[in-house]
Amino acid sequence: MGDKGAGNHSDVTDFILVGFRVRPELHILLFLLFLLVYGMVLLGNISMICIIVTDSQLNTPMYFFLGNLSFIDLSYSTVIAPKAMVNFMSEKKTVSFVGCAAQFFFFALFIVTEGFVLAAMAYDRFIAICNPLLYSVHMSRRLCTQLVAGSYFCGWVSSILQVSITFSVSFCASRVIDHFYCDSHQIEKISCSNLFVNKMVSLSLAAFIILPTIVVIVVSYMYIVTTVLKIPSSEGRKKAFSTCSSHLGVVSLLYGTVSFVYLTPPSNPELRKVASVFYILVTPMLNPLIYSLRNKDVKQALRKVLWKEKALF
């Protein structure tokens, strides 16, 4: 199947982001809701980064990864949320071709990078629980830096490939994207090109980039569970599980919401949009709360900061 209609991507200068198909008077409510949640994303993740950077007791591999996770969460929410809020209050609701490609690129970059960082954190918990005596040897500062740098590299490779194939297609007369951001599935729906190569590249990326992160997480936790169950005392088992429960919660939240989005039938686009809000805004908002509420070290560091502020006044 070749090109089906007139209009090449070189003729397209902008797209229209439909957003949510609701009554116009509800757009202000959506704007305020996005503003509130995005504000909490900024506050929670910037606070987490500041606490990790300033507290010397949090200078460990786990918190090094957590600081990067907070930066990534903050970044991919920022790629989507401000433009969505502008469009809620705008009549035109347009995004330029370059702006759409840039949004798609950075979102893909950060979301793939997050998957690899979560896999690195699972490996960190595996070493901490299964080989505690060799933890400082295995999880050196150099290895942690390499793992994070490798995560970003895989994110860059993935996003470059995805942007290249997504925006090199021919587009039909319509330039309407039925979403509140530049979603690849909706962009492909307005394409007139044969999408066989796109689908093969997407499957290859899933097989060689996404799948390995899931395998690392699953295998790490299989070893963790096996090791913890061998601990004789219930108190010891509880303490061991508590060290990785926050990470497991974050992994479940991200992969659960992303899976729900892509398993939702295409015939229900509004449900897909609502589900997208969860992994674009709600998950980055909850991650700092999950780590701060369930982590003794973070709570202690937060108390220090609050006591310092009280002392200044």
Side-chain angles (χ1 to χ4, degrees):
M1 187 178 81
D3 289 357
K4 297 184 295 187
N8 187 271
H9 74 277
S10 58
D11 301 322
V12 175
T13 58
D14 61 8
F15 297 101
I16 298 169
L17 294 172
V18 172
F20 293 91
R21 295 184 184 274
V22 296
R23 295 195 303 273
E25 55 268 27
L26 291 177
H27 284 158
I28 183 67
L29 183 61
L30 284 171
F31 173 83
L32 292 173
L33 183 62
F34 267 59
L35 182 63
L36 174 65
V37 178
Y38 180 58
M40 293 178 71
V41 169
L42 292 177
L43 178 63
N45 287 287
I46 290 174
S47 298
M48 184 65 75
I49 292 168
C50 291
I51 289 169
I52 290 169
V53 169
T54 56
D55 195 303
S56 58
Q57 287 187 326
L58 302 183
N59 188 22
T60 64
M62 184 176 81
Y63 296 108
F64 175 70
F65 291 129
L66 181 55
N68 279 279
L69 183 69
S70 292
F71 173 75
I72 293 164
D73 282 343
L74 178 68
S75 298
Y76 75 71
S77 290
T78 301
V79 168
I80 306 294
K83 180 60 180 174
M85 288 189 288
V86 168
N87 281 353
F88 288 148
M89 305 303 291
S90 173
E91 291 280 336
K92 297 174 71 175
K93 304 185 188 303
T94 57
V95 59
S96 68
F97 182 88
V98 173
C100 190
Q103 186 186 68
F104 182 86
F105 173 83
F106 284 108
F107 181 68
L109 164 66
F110 289 118
I111 203 75
V112 171
T113 302
E114 175 147 342
F116 277 93
V117 170
L118 287 172
M121 293 174 80
Y123 177 72
D124 171 72
R125 292 300 82 206
F126 159 70
I127 296 296
I129 293 172
C130 300
N131 295 286
L133 297 177
L134 297 174
Y135 180 73
S136 58
V137 176
H138 281 297
M139 299 305 296
S140 64
R141 186 73 178 184
R142 181 180 178 183
L143 176 62
C144 294
T145 304
Q146 288 172 342
L147 287 171
V148 170
S151 299
Y152 277 98
F153 176 75
C154 291
W156 275 96
V157 171
S158 174
S159 56
I160 288 170
L161 285 172
Q162 289 185 72
V163 169
S164 299
I165 62 166
T166 301
F167 289 90
S168 62
V169 299
S170 297
F171 293 101
C172 304
S174 175
R175 52 193 181 91
V176 176
I177 298 174
D178 190 11
H179 217 301
F180 61 88
Y181 71 98
C182 293
D183 175 60
S184 60
H185 177 73
Q186 296 300 326
I187 293 170
E188 288 175 357
K189 283 179 72 173
I190 61 173
S191 167
C192 297
S193 298
N194 186 334
L195 299 176
F196 176 77
V197 174
N198 298 54
K199 295 186 186 300
M200 287 300 102
V201 171
S202 296
L203 285 172
S204 299
L205 288 173
F208 294 107
I209 291 185
I210 310 301
L211 188 59
T213 64
I214 297 172
V215 170
V216 169
I217 292 169
V218 170
V219 171
S220 295
Y221 275 101
M222 285 173 63
Y223 277 102
I224 287 170
V225 169
T226 303
T227 302
V228 170
L229 291 177
K230 290 177 181 177
I231 298 174
S233 68
S234 59
E235 188 63 31
R237 289 195 297 271
K238 184 180 176 182
K239 185 178 179 180
F241 271 127
S242 69
T243 64
C244 55
S245 59
S246 297
H247 174 260
L248 195 56
V250 169
V251 168
S252 302
L253 197 60
L254 178 68
Y255 281 100
T257 52
V258 171
S259 299
F260 182 78
V261 169
Y262 289 99
L263 291 175
T264 302
S267 58
N268 198 339
E270 295 307 304
L271 184 59
R272 289 174 70 102
K273 293 174 194 176
V274 173
S276 297
V277 173
F278 275 85
Y279 73 79
I280 290 169
L281 283 174
V282 177
T283 298
M285 177 188 72
L286 292 177
N287 285 353
L289 292 174
I290 291 170
Y291 271 99
S292 59
L293 293 175
R294 297 187 61 85
N295 191 293
K296 183 177 69 176
D297 295 331
V298 173
K299 284 193 283 189
Q300 189 175 350
L302 187 58
R303 286 194 202 100
K304 282 184 187 177
V305 173
L306 293 174
W307 276 111
K308 282 180 183 177
E309 287 190 1
K310 282 185 180 179
L312 290 174
F313 293 99

